[in-house]
Amino acid sequence: MAPYESDDSTTAPGTDDRRPGRRRAARYAVPVAVVGVAAVTIGLVPALADSGDPDLPAISAQQLIEKIAASDVQQISGTVKVSTDLGLPDLGGLTGGLASGATGSGDGSAADPTAKLAELATGTHTLRVAADGPDRQKLSILENAAEYSVVHNGDDVWGYDSKSNEVYHATTGTASGKAEETEPPATPEQLTKDALKAVDGTTSVTVDGTAHVAGRDTYKLLIKPKDADTTVGAISVAVDARTGLPLKFTLTPATGGAAVVDAGFTKVSFAKPAASTFDFTPPKGAKVTEGADAEHGTRSGKAEKHGKQGTDAAKGVEGRAGRDSLDGVNVIGDGWDSIAAFDTGQGSSGGSGGDLGVLGGLAGSLGDKVKGSFGSGTVLSTRLINALVTDDGKVYVGAVTKDALVKAADAAK
């Protein structure tokens, strides 16, 4: 194996997305929640590395980061495994409800991507993915004797649940050129970009050798936060040596043990997918629910409630997960130990209404009681994301320790 420079990088220049491919309407790909930042940053099980590490030319961490930023893959297809291990017990769907409830459940259709793809926040799943430039993507979740697919082809976005034979349809408004472009979070590529955004002076970034992933030669980028308050231990990314595309993403918690996040392809091809891959016609007898046009409101002949909810879905995951996405959200700190804080306007015993919703019920059932100068509240702990719900309805959430949340709540008083 060739030697590698093991320089530390404290910045991630050039990590802005340079390619439009596979991004429009990808807002439907995986829902995100303020509470479930992990629900999207956890997701994909790694492909098993082939035996024998490849002998590749030496590269520095800085050069590898630049290679990721310069990657311009427009066509791709393959199989991905998805697994989530937050360490939460299975409470008869309550855990999954946390993700779907926090992101908005759409219009109630079993085929609505906003709700259906929230299931990727828990358990193990197999995905098929395909993309051909900015206007055509397909993601399918393979289940026992069933399949769920999201297809973006031009202005149309279709969701189809074969188990219920239900179809969800919305338009993106891409013909007007105004549709926002958002890469699906549940890919090694986007997970890597999100991780690199947190790289700062408290982060060690090195090259950690090479590996084979899905039959491809890759470099391994190792990211280690130095912040004492973060629950993130280390992140390893396998970067395709030829294209610069991240093919595998593994996140281990600061407490050690099995990975919380493993992301990787088991099969991958960079050949142009067949045009028919992105064709979709509702099956005979399927129930079709129309969403809203992302630019122009509801489609004709449909109820107003469907229009509003369809619009919410079309606004994308960034409408729930971004720094300025939730009304009144305040981001405390930056980098690995940043904390999102917001006021739900109700106490933690406020039931299932408002923004507190399932989080309040889950915290009340499983959380640890804490006290501070802020008053009292409950901390819901997972292996990665922790959330403090105060008795007066304020929420503090992040990939940080319980003590860090209490300190943030105390400082906010």
Side-chain angles (χ1 to χ4, degrees), residues 36-408:
V37 173
V40 277
T41 57
I42 0 189
L44 309 175
V45 169
L48 295 177
D50 300 332
S51 60
D53 294 336
D55 187 7
L56 297 172
I59 192 171
S60 70
Q62 181 68 28
Q63 290 170 330
L64 190 52
I65 289 173
E66 291 172 355
K67 190 176 185 70
I68 294 171
S71 181
D72 189 27
V73 174
Q74 295 287 317
Q75 287 89 28
I76 192 172
S77 60
T79 303
V80 176
K81 290 234 177 172
V82 178
S83 177
T84 301
D85 184 10
L86 278 177
L88 284 172
D90 184 359
L91 299 179
L94 183 57
T95 303
L98 174 62
S100 61
T103 56
S105 59
D107 58 16
S109 169
D112 177 16
T114 305
K116 182 65 179 180
L117 292 175
E119 296 177 9
L120 296 181
T122 58
T124 299
H125 307 272
T126 299
L127 307 181
R128 276 202 307 254
V129 297
D132 181 15
D135 294 326
R136 287 174 292 277
Q137 302 96 32
K138 181 176 181 179
L139 181 151
S140 298
I141 305 174
L142 308 182
E143 302 170 336
N144 292 332
E147 179 176 328
Y148 176 80
S149 294
V150 179
V151 181
H152 169 218
N153 194 345
D155 285 351
D156 293 304
V157 174
W158 298 93
Y160 175 60
D161 180 44
S162 67
K163 185 175 182 179
S164 64
N165 199 28
E166 292 190 38
V167 174
Y168 179 91
H169 176 247
T171 56
T172 67
T174 52
S176 66
K178 296 180 181 179
E180 295 187 54
E181 295 178 344
T182 303
E183 185 111 358
T187 63
E189 179 181 16
Q190 188 58 40
L191 291 172
T192 299
K193 289 178 180 177
D194 289 343
L196 289 175
K197 289 175 185 177
V199 169
D200 57 17
T202 65
T203 310
S204 167
V205 184
T206 60
V207 177
D208 189 34
T210 65
H212 288 291
V213 174
R216 305 282 298 187
D217 291 348
T218 67
Y219 292 101
K220 294 192 294 183
L221 186 70
L222 183 63
I223 303 170
K224 285 188 174 182
K226 298 177 182 178
D227 287 322
D229 289 334
T230 184
T231 55
V232 177
I235 293 172
S236 177
V237 181
V239 182
D240 187 64
R242 179 172 295 181
T243 67
L245 185 73
L247 296 180
K248 175 182 176 182
F249 178 101
T250 303
L251 184 154
T252 53
T255 55
V260 174
V261 180
D262 276 323
F265 285 87
T266 58
K267 296 180 181 178
V268 66
S269 170
F270 296 102
K272 182 183 177 71
S276 59
T277 302
F278 311 102
D279 292 340
F280 181 81
T281 300
K284 183 177 181 180
K287 175 185 176 182
V288 180
T289 300
E290 292 285 349
D293 188 295
E295 298 292 329
H296 306 296
T298 60
R299 294 176 66 83
S300 60
K302 299 300 172 184
E304 182 179 353
K305 86 168 180 178
H306 286 176
K308 178 182 184 301
Q309 292 165 335
T311 301
D312 288 343
K315 286 178 180 177
V317 297
E318 67 274 15
R320 283 287 182 178
R323 280 179 174 258
D324 302 319
S325 59
L326 190 65
D327 290 343
V329 70
N330 177 36
V331 177
I332 302 169
D334 54 25
W336 302 101
D337 57 1
S338 61
I339 296 171
F342 58 95
D343 191 344
T344 67
Q346 62 177 14
S348 59
S349 61
S352 59
D355 286 319
L356 203 54
V358 180
L359 174 63
L362 193 56
S365 300
L366 300 176
D368 298 324
K369 293 294 183 180
V370 294
K371 292 184 178 180
S373 60
F374 70 88
S376 60
T378 304
V379 173
L380 173 64
S381 298
T382 75
R383 299 180 66 220
L384 183 66
I385 300 298
N386 294 323
L388 167 61
V389 182
T390 67
D391 289 346
D392 60 357
K394 295 181 177 63
V395 176
Y396 300 84
V397 60
V400 297
T401 64
K402 177 172 67 175
D403 289 343
L405 295 176
V406 172
K407 289 177 183 178

